[in-house]
Amino acid sequence: MMKYLTPCGIITLRDNTGMPVEFSVCKRKKLFPKQYLFYDTDYEYPVQTQNEYEIHISAKHLKAGINYILRIHDCECKFGDSDENTFCNYVFKNYYHLSIGAYDPNDDSKWYQMLAKYQHRHQKDAFQFDESEFEQYMISMLADCSGYAFHLLNNPPDEIIFHVAWIAHFTERPAELRFIDEEDLKDEFERYITCLTT
């Protein structure tokens, strides 16, 4: 497919000339177990979405030296969360909470390079990663957090996989949560959905 429709917007993959690139989407084989909003409080409430998917991009559709952009359109996104080698964005739109997560195979190497640069902070030149020390692919989040830019490096994988998940916000507030502030409730949904993609 060339685009994927979600409740919050359309996800596309394009090269640096704007040409669409093929990808596929499948349901995650093993869904994340049930979690709780406001865990370990008097307002603890169970949630579990069935909308967990994987975006698969075959290396056969990618070329070395070309930058690619995977993004969701017409959304106001922000940084979601990060963990070891993973990071994600977050969007709330149309009363849905959505997150797209990515895996960075060079996360540790990036930290080592940044640490070395910090130790020589008297150098005033702008910092740039030495990609010769990286493998598989280079990836970064877009400035507006709507998605990711990436390009192939040495020893690329057979495919690059992104995770996307969403859950509907409450149209009717459960009785257990009737005294919860709306912004606090949105924050809990954000915490939950970004946990699924990192």
Side-chain angles (χ1 to χ4, degrees), residues 48-92:
Q48 183 178 26
T49 183
Q50 299 299 309
N51 298 305
E52 293 185 63
Y53 299 91
E54 294 178 349
I55 297 172
H56 291 250
I57 305 169
S58 172
K60 296 178 182 178
H61 301 309
L62 306 176
K63 296 180 180 179
I66 302 294
N67 289 315
Y68 297 91
I69 294 178
L70 179 97
R71 72 167 2 130
I72 185 167
H73 297 264
D74 301 320
C75 290
E76 187 174 330
C77 303
K78 68 176 186 178
F79 181 82
D81 199 0
S82 63
D83 202 349
E84 295 181 9
N85 292 91
T86 59
F87 56 124
C88 71
N89 66 0
Y90 168 76
V91 60
F92 177 67

Side-chain angles (χ1 to χ4, degrees), residues 97-115:
H97 305 265
L98 179 144
S99 178
I100 303 172
Y103 174 77
D104 186 348
N106 300 294
D107 189 54
D108 290 340
S109 297
K110 288 179 179 178
W111 277 110
Y112 294 143
Q113 287 191 17
M114 287 189 290
L115 179 60

Side-chain angles (χ1 to χ4, degrees), residues 16-69:
N16 53 5
T17 69
M19 290 294 295
V21 179
E22 186 176 343
F23 61 94
S24 62
V25 178
C26 64
K27 192 127 183 173
R28 197 169 184 171
K29 292 181 180 178
K30 187 176 181 180
L31 297 181
F32 211 83
K34 179 172 62 178
Q35 299 290 298
Y36 291 87
L37 304 180
F38 304 101
Y39 178 71
D40 202 24
T41 72
D42 293 339
Y43 304 105
E44 189 173 275
Y45 191 84
V47 289
Q48 183 178 26
T49 183
Q50 299 299 309
N51 298 305
E52 293 185 63
Y53 299 91
E54 294 178 349
I55 297 172
H56 291 250
I57 305 169
S58 172
K60 296 178 182 178
H61 301 309
L62 306 176
K63 296 180 180 179
I66 302 294
N67 289 315
Y68 297 91
I69 294 178

Side-chain angles (χ1 to χ4, degrees), residues 140-180:
S140 60
M141 186 175 286
L142 299 175
D144 64 359
C145 299
S146 63
Y148 304 90
F150 63 94
H151 58 265
L152 296 181
L153 298 173
N154 294 326
N155 302 316
D158 292 335
E159 61 181 0
I160 298 175
I161 300 175
F162 294 85
H163 291 95
V164 58
W166 64 80
I167 188 171
H169 196 71
F170 293 127
T171 53
E172 292 185 14
R173 184 76 70 90
E176 297 92 328
L177 303 176
R178 63 187 182 278
F179 298 122
I180 296 294

